[in-house]
Amino acid sequence: MRGISEQAAAAYGNVVADPVDADLAVLRLRTPHEERPGLFESFFHSGSPAFPEDELKEILRLLDAVPTLECVNLERPAVLFEIAAKAAALVAGYGASDTALLDVAFGRARAQGRLPFELPRSMAAVEASRPDVPDDAEDPVFP
């Protein structure tokens, strides 16, 4: 588990230290962004919407090791194609508690909603899109 309270997770199953011993991993991620200096600018997440290469490799290693529920806090669009392709499930989060996320993962509640924006398939799609035109990404992962 990453980004999930061990106490909350324990209410749904046995928590193990090594993902190899798990039947399911739950990974909570924040939307990628680049830190900005200054007090005012530091409140706004901007920069590349792609995960840094080293972080992406670590995530993909976990996805290869065990079925994984990925919950990404989508405060802004992110490039998630490689993660979405390998995850057992992908949930867009907007501040739900650990318990609410795990209720969905274990079938106690039903997830529903609609994304407020497209998710681009790649950085090339981000670079080709026009910043002033909504929903113009080529072949989005989730329109």
Side-chain angles (χ1 to χ4, degrees), residues 77-91:
V79 177
L80 298 172
F81 178 71
E82 291 176 278
I83 293 170
K86 290 188 171 200
L90 181 66
V91 175

Side-chain angles (χ1 to χ4, degrees), residues 110-127:
R110 185 173 171 269
Q112 59 185 20
R114 181 182 162 107
L115 291 174
F117 40 69
E118 292 179 324
L119 293 180
R121 186 168 294 277
S122 65
M123 276 307 295
V126 171
E127 292 162 357

